[in-house]
């Protein structure tokens, strides 16, 4: 019998000794069966399965058992370890699994070594594309159904086709790496972990549309990504894969990096073009679209990092293969940056159509530290929140839009009962107000006025009429803003109002924040029973609002208290109460 | 040297795949580095040198399990390929001594993902 | 031709027509705010939005081209509500200073607000609190009143290519300001005033000196005299409801006397004197080879400042002749004062100009004091004079016509066309022909150098020699002309032109920065036509035949370019600004 490895993890929430206990049971059972020399037993830190009791994974067969009981040990040893057969009723059947397509090479290859990329079929798609010709390449992209992953969701094949058809010899290809959504770092990881995939995608795209110059517009806040892409371009150039007559064909293309300068709005197509041209990064009206009149007036195609990373596998495996993954309207996979109040935070990649419930609970492991799930935010500052009762929605462009959110670039932030929806809306709106370029009145002034209203509500100064004003300004911003930033800045507000209006009303009518987040609405009181009279809170208070001594204990003067919460943080005995 | 033909490309691929044995990979994207992966890398480097092991030490990108960084993946002939999580400098040295030299997988540090891959 | 419908009314337009322009065809006026016919659409304000069937977006009419089969709706309750909210947002960022503002009754924001029937302030007011800038002594900049239409910046950067103004900062904090936030007087500003004549509100306003002039007029110690520029007469009627181009010369003389001026002169007389000097200068250089060719006219003070700041390498080409305004001031305080035996220290010379930079010309160099006093004390814009006339309740439109003080008031047709682009050149050529050949030319009107194209060229034969002239208007058009001269110098070739006329304002002085608001190319053409008609109606159409000019030289200056003429009527130029 070949050597086997058994990984063990007790995934019961709150369990501290479960793994070790089961490990001991299993190892002694193995000793009894005299298999100790052939089977390695390892306690795992994390086995990728959550809330399923004792989980075992057997290598090299890759069989995973969940909800294993001590009495199952015998048959596991007998059936699986001795004979290599899986036990059906124990097998872990996830309703969803990650499918690493875009992230296929991330974590597998050395991003600074072009040979590593080549060892994983690197640049073979480019070769195939050059043989097939631009028309065939565009056709393959159209068949695939790939849609722009930056958030717009525009069909990539169609964009390439339109740019390709625009008259002119001088065309440009641009990779939009200005990833600006708070909490989103998918593009960063792809640029840092698999830069050649994006380069290969750029080259194929350039070939398809007839461009001979490509730009990576990378935000300056991503120095490692800039470094790795530059090295990758240099290495590819040294191999003749970037530059003149690639693969001895008539196709030549050079690539260059242009840096962003701290403006979220420059992720918007026309503002990005202005930025590269050295002008103020503000959007321009469309039409004309960049595919007709873009960089320096020439036809330009702008694609997101993740979109381009999908291109080589589509060329290698065919558009039809890609279109079999995902849903009717949204093909392929999506990378999400799953963060917030979640156990397993990080980047995940799932086929389109995977339910939010599976993403949050199955793959993400659910909220950390046992708090109650409240909502998941998708689409960054242009998106909205999805409450618990809608979690069975499959993730795709159309579904999320129907629910009042958007796919966006892939940021997904999990929120629990400690997150206040008014505060969340305020956070995202403040981001948009900070990042607004200021060119058009609806966004510049509308965002500012909406933020003022939300700040009032969070401070307990709001009125119910404010909710109507918020909706009125939101409508004006949606309809009259010049670009997507302004058009979608109100989404988080509208979405939280749609599903959590009661929280807004609590803030307004009862001047209470149910999640205890909005500090201006919190009253801090010292519990005399718990107070150990140490005086630490009084020393911490910036307003000298706490008085007392070591005999009588301490008391907060509510008239001086500014609800900053520092005493609450400081008290080691939990004697400061937040209401 | 330039890669001009299909044959150049596939020959390079083959050569590289043949070199793909006995390695340690450290996740060195921003998430990993922020968690201390560069110190882990150095510790591994020193310990491998000290123990005289013939193992390739490489960097790799983000595996996706960012909350569990620093991540170290180990592939030694005859042993299963595993990923260690939340590795610090001391654990790094244990990996070299225990796993690489001693051929024993360390307890309580393994992380496994449930995912499919497309090559 | 493209067919579409607007509000159900079918129409047919040429390809590329915007919805805004097409709507005029069916007598629909879509409200706009930031739009100006002189400039490409900035699409900033969001007021001109309309609905297009098949889309749930609202599109901007100013920049969206009509497409085949489009069904456009310009007004419905939803559209009007969104426009109204946008306007209310703009007003929430604008001070309620109407009653104290110079644009009261001529402000585009005021007009739009009245049209929308705004009766309440829905949103709290947020005023930026940015301090005023009156450093140039020609304008007062009040950034708080700016509505971010972007017109001034577009004009200053793209049309005039001066780049004195830009947007600084981002979002709600963005503001229009001189480049890099310096004071306007430190910037490349040439005070042409195109910004102020295009500004929809009171954010950029000419420095109002009417109060000072009133004070001078009311002091019996003062002997106040006035001169009016050619362009004023064909534009001031617009401020009183008359069509552009209406010649108000006679009524201007009357109203100015009734305002209290003791003598009413006409700058056009001085224009004739300028021609005597400048045509002589041209003959010196062209025939006698004394001095570099081409000769460049310098009546326009913005053009002079531009030359000194941006093209000091061309100084040797500048005509040393002062502008008509300055010549008139000088003559009033010397020749006139002597002839009438008036103490020149008591003379207050006020000029009425279509121009804002004339206010700065008054103290350009010490030569502006050649009479021993400040030659011209105040330069008022056409707009300021219109306000003064209205303040005195005179029924300007119905006044009888009268004569000026002939000694410095009679003029020829050649002088009056100074106000239109090409006019100075035409006048100079008429007299140059006489100076060179001793005969008047057959052709008085040179169509080739009239009209609105940015650069106009003419080659003519004069006494057996070929004269090549160029006429440019709008500072954005001068670089190409100057570069041709520079290139010829660099290659040792003969100069491409012998004589160049430049007017900083598009259309020439008729389109000056101090003229009545609402200028368009149509209005520029109508105003110019008024001047050409004045020229044709005159019996004397050559500057050298002006009997009062002849008298001036006989009795005082002796001859053109005499040492006295040089001392009094000529000036010099220096490099200004940073290297």
């Amino acid at each position: 019998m070949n050597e086997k490895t058994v990984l063990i993890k007790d995934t019961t929430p709150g369990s501290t000794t479960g793994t070790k206990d089961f490990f001991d049971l299993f190892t002694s059972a193995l000793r009894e069966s005299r298999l100790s020399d052939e089977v390695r037993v390892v306690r795992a830190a994390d086995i990728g399965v959550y809330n399923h009791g004792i989980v075992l994974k057997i290598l090299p067969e890759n069989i995973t058992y969940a909800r294993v009981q001590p009495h199952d040990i015998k048959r596991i040893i007998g059936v699986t370890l001795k004979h290599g057969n899986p036990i059906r009723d124990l097998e872990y059947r996830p309703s969803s699994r990650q499918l690493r397509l875009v992230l296929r090479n991330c974590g597998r290859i050395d991003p600074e070594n072009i040979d590593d990329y080549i060892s994983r079929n690197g640049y073979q798609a480019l070769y195939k594309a050059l043989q097939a010709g631009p028309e065939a390449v565009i056709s393959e992209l159209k068949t695939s159904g790939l849609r722009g992953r930056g958030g717009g969701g525009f069909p990539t094949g169609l964009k390439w086709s339109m740019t390709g058809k625009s008259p002119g010899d001088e065309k440009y290809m641009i990779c939009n790496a200005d990833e600006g959504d708070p909490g989103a770092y998918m593009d960063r990881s792809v640029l840092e972990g698999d830069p050649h995939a994006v380069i290969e995608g750029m080259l194929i795209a350039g070939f398809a549309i007839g461009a001979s110059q490509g730009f990576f517009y990378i935000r300056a806040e991503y120095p490692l990504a800039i470094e790795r892409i530059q090295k990758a371009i240099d290495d590819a150039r040294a191999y003749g894969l970037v530059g003149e007559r690639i693969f001895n064909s008539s196709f030549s293309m050079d690539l260059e990096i242009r840096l962003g300068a701290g403006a979220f709005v420059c992720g918007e197509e026309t503002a990005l073009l202005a930025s590269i041209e050295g002008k103020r990064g503000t959007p321009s009206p469309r039409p004309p679209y960049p595919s007709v009149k873009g960089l320096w007036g020439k036809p330009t195609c702008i694609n997101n990092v993740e979109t381009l990373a999908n291109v080589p596998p589509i060329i290698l495996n065919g558009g039809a293969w890609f279109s079999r993954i995902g849903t009717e309207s949204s093909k392929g996979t999506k990378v999400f940056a799953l963060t917030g109040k979640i156990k397993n935070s990080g980047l995940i990649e799932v086929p389109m159509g995977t339910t939010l419930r599976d993403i949050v609970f199955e793959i993400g492991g659910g909220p950390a530290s046992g708090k109650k799930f409240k909502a998941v935010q998708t689409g960054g500052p242009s998106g909205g929140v999805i409450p618990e009762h809608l979690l069975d929605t499959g993730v795709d462009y159309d579904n999320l839009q129907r629910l009042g959110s958007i796919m966006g670039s892939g940021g997904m932030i999990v929120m629990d009962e400690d997150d206040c929806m008014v505060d969340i809306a305020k956070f995202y709106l403040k981001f948009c107000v900070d990042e607004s370029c200021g060119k058009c009145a609806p966004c510049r002034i509308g965002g500012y006025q909406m933020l003022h209203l939300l700040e009032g509500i969070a401070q307990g100064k709001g009125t119910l009429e404010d909710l109507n004003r918020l909706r009125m300004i939101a409508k004006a911003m949606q309809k009259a803003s010049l670009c997507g930033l302004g058009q979608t800045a109100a989404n988080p507000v509208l979405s939280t109002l749609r599903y959590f209006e009661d929280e807004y009303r609590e803030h307004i009518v009862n001047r209470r924040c149910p999640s205890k987040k909005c500090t201006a609405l919190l009253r801090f009181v010292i519990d005399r029973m718990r107070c150990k009279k140490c005086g630490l809170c009084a020393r911490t208070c910036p307003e000298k609002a706490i008085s007392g001594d070591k005999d009588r204990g301490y008391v907060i003067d509510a008239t001086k208290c500014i609800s900053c919460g520092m005493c609450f943080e400081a008290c080691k005995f939990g004697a400061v109460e937040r209401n | 040297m330039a890669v001009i033909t299909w044959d150049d490309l596939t020959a390079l691929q083959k050569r590289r795949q043949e070199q793909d044995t006995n390695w340690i990979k450290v996740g060195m994207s921003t998430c990993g580095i922020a968690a201390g992966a560069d110190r882990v890398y150095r510790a591994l480097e020193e310990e491998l040198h000290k123990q005289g092991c013939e193992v390739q030490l490489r960097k790799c990108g983000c595996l996706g399990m960012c909350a569990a960084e620093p991540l170290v993946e180990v592939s030694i002939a005859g042993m299963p390929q595993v990923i260690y999580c939340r590795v610090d400098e001391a654990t790094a040295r244990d990996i070299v001594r225990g796993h690489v030299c001693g051929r024993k997988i360390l307890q309580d540090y393994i992380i496994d993902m449930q995912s499919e891959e497309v090559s | 031709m493209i067919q579409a419908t607007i509000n159900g009314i079918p129409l047919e337009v040429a390809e590329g027509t915007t919805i805004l322009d097409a709507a005029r065809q069916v007598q629909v006026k879509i409200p706009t705010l930031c739009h100006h016919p002189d400039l490409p659409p900035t699409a900033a304000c969001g007021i001109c939005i309309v609905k297009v069937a098949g889309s749930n977006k609202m599109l901007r009419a100013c920049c969206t081209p009509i497409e085949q089969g489009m069904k456009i709706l310009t007004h419905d309750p939803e559209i009007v509500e969104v426009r109204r909210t946008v306007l209310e947002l703009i007003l929430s960022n604008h001070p309620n200073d109407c009653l104290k503002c110079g644009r009261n009754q001529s402000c585009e924001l005021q007009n739009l607000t009245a049209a929308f029937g705004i009766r309440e302030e829905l949103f709290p007011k947020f005023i930026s609190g940015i301090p005023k800038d009156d450093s140039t002594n020609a304008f007062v900049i009040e950034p708080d009143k700016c509505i971010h239409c972007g017109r001034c910046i577009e004009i200053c950067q793209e049309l005039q290519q001066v780049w004195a103004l830009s947007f600084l900062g981002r979002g709600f904090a963005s503001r229009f300001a001189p480049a890099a936030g310096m004071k306007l007087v430190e910037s490349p500003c040439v005070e042409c005033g195109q910004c102020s004549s295009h500004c929809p509100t009171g954010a950029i306003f000419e420095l109002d000196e009417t109060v000072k002039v009133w004070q001078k007029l009311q002091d019996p110690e003062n002997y106040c005299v006035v001169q009016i520029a050619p362009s004023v007469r064909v534009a001031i009627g617009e401020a009183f409801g008359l069509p552009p181009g209406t010649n108000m010369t006679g009524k201007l003389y009357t109203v100015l006397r009734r305002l209290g001026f003791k003598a009413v002169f006409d700058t056009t007389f001085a224009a004739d004197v300028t021609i005597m000097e400048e045509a002589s200068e041209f003959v010196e250089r062209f025939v006698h080879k004394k001095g570099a060719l081409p000769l460049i006219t310098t009546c326009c003070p913005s053009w002079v400042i531009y030359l000194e700041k941006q093209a000091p390498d061309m100084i040797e080409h500048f005509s040393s002749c002062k502008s008509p305004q300055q010549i008139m001031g000088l003559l009033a305080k010397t020749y006139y004062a002597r002839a009438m035996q008036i103490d020149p220290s008591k003379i207050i010379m006020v000029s009425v100009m279509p121009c804002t930079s004339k206010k700065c010309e008054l103290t350009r160099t010490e030569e502006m004091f050649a009479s021993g006093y400040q030659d011209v004390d105040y330069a008022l814009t056409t707009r300021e004079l219109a306000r003064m006339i209205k303040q005195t309740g005179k029924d300007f439109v119905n006044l009888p016509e009268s004569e000026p003080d002939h000694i410095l008031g009679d003029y020829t047709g050649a002088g009056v066309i100074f106000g239109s682009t090409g006019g100075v050149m035409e006048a100079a050529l008429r007299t140059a022909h006489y100076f060179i050949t001793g005969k008047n030319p057959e052709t008085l009107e040179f169509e080739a150098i009239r009209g609105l194209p940015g650069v106009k060229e003419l080659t003519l034969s004069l006494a057996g020699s070929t004269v090549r002239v160029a006429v440019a208007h709008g500072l954005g058009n001068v670089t190409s002309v100057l570069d041709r001269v520079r290139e010829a110098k660099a290659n040792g070739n003969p100069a491409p032109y012998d004589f160049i006329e430049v007017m900083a304002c598009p259309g020439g002085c008729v389109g000056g920065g101090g003229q009545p608001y609402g200028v368009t190319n149509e209005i520029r053409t109508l105003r110019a036509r008024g001047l050409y008609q004045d020229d044709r109606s005159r019996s004397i159409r050559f500057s050298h035949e002006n009997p009062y000019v002849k008298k001036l030289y006989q009795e005082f200056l002796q001859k053109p370019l005499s040492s006295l003429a040089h001392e009094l009527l000529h000036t010099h130029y220096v490099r200004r600004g940073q290297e």
Side-chain angles (χ1 to χ4, degrees), chain A residues 261-265 279-280 283-289 433-449 452-453 465 469 472-473 475-483 487, chain C residues 41-47 49 56-60 63-65 67 78 81-82 85-86 88-93 122-126 146-148 158 166-175:
Chain A
F264 173 71
V265 71
K279 300 182 188 148
R280 241 174 103 78
S284 304
R286 295 178 299 177
Y289 287 92
V433 169
D434 282 346
E435 294 292 335
S436 164
C437 74
K439 180 170 177 179
C440 77
C443 171
R444 181 181 76 247
I445 309 174
Y448 194 84
Q449 290 282 10
H452 178 79
L453 285 168
E465 181 53 33
R469 289 217 184 91
M472 185 187 180
I473 303 176
K475 176 108 181 257
M477 286 176 75
Q478 274 175 337
K479 297 292 184 188
S481 293
L482 184 56
C483 82
Q487 286 158 8
Chain C
T42 17
C45 66
I47 296 283
I49 44 177
N56 64 352
K57 288 189 175 199
M58 289 190 193
L59 303 179
R60 283 161 162 71
C63 59
T64 307
E67 283 169 29
E78 198 189 1
E81 197 205 316
V82 173
T85 309
V86 173
E88 276 158 351
L89 286 171
I90 293 173
L91 291 172
S92 76
N93 188 221
L122 272 190
F123 304 115
K125 256 204 202 291
F126 291 105
C146 173
I147 58 167
H148 290 75
E158 301 295 331
S166 72
F167 274 120
L168 294 184
R170 177 166 92 189
F172 196 73
S174 66
R175 63 192 205 281

Side-chain angles (χ1 to χ4, degrees), chain C residues 10-52:
Chain C
L11 47 79
E12 205 177 79
V13 292
E15 197 171 331
T17 310
T18 60
I19 297 178
L20 183 66
D21 289 339
R24 282 193 206 110
Q25 266 194 34
V26 292
Q27 295 79 42
V28 172
K29 192 170 174 309
I30 298 171
T32 61
L33 186 52
C34 67
H35 177 76
H36 193 287
D38 274 356
L39 301 164
T42 17
C45 66
I47 296 283
C48 68
I49 44 177
V50 295
K51 278 186 182 169
V52 174

Side-chain angles (χ1 to χ4, degrees), chain C residues 223-227 261-263 265 332 336 347-351:
Chain C
Y223 190 93
C224 296
V225 302
V226 66
Q227 54 165 313
F261 287 101
K262 301 244 172 49
F265 303 134
Y336 175 77
I347 297 182
I348 301 293
M349 161 59 85
V350 176
S351 71

Side-chain angles (χ1 to χ4, degrees), chain C residues 63-135:
Chain C
C63 59
T64 307
I66 297 251
E67 283 169 29
Q68 181 62 35
M70 247 184 182
K71 292 194 178 63
I72 296 150
L73 189 59
T74 66
H75 288 74
D76 79 2
E78 198 189 1
I79 300 174
V80 173
E81 197 205 316
V82 173
R83 286 185 191 143
R84 197 194 185 82
T85 309
V86 173
L87 181 56
E88 276 158 351
L89 286 171
I90 293 173
L91 291 172
S92 76
N93 188 221
H94 192 86
N96 281 351
D97 274 357
C98 292
L99 295 178
K100 300 180 308 205
C101 177
R103 290 301 289 267
N104 193 2
Q105 304 267 307
S106 63
C107 168
E108 294 182 43
L109 181 63
Q110 227 183 21
N111 293 341
L112 194 65
T113 307
F116 270 75
I118 303 282
R119 292 284 172 271
E120 50 173 348
E121 279 175 15
L122 272 190
F123 304 115
K125 256 204 202 291
F126 291 105
I127 307 298
S128 313
I130 302 168
K132 286 191 210 178
D133 178 346
D134 53 9
S135 58

Side-chain angles (χ1 to χ4, degrees), chain C residues 450-494:
Chain C
R450 295 187 174 190
L452 293 177
V455 179
K456 296 160 284 185
E457 293 172 334
L458 174 66
T459 309
L460 55 131
S461 145
L462 221 172
S465 305
T466 315
V467 180
R468 288 148 305 157
V469 309
V471 170
H473 62 115
L475 286 172
N477 290 314
V478 298
T479 313
S480 59
V481 175
L482 292 184
D483 280 346
R484 266 177 240 150
V485 176
R486 288 184 180 113
E487 203 190 319
K489 265 197 216 184
N491 296 336
N493 291 337

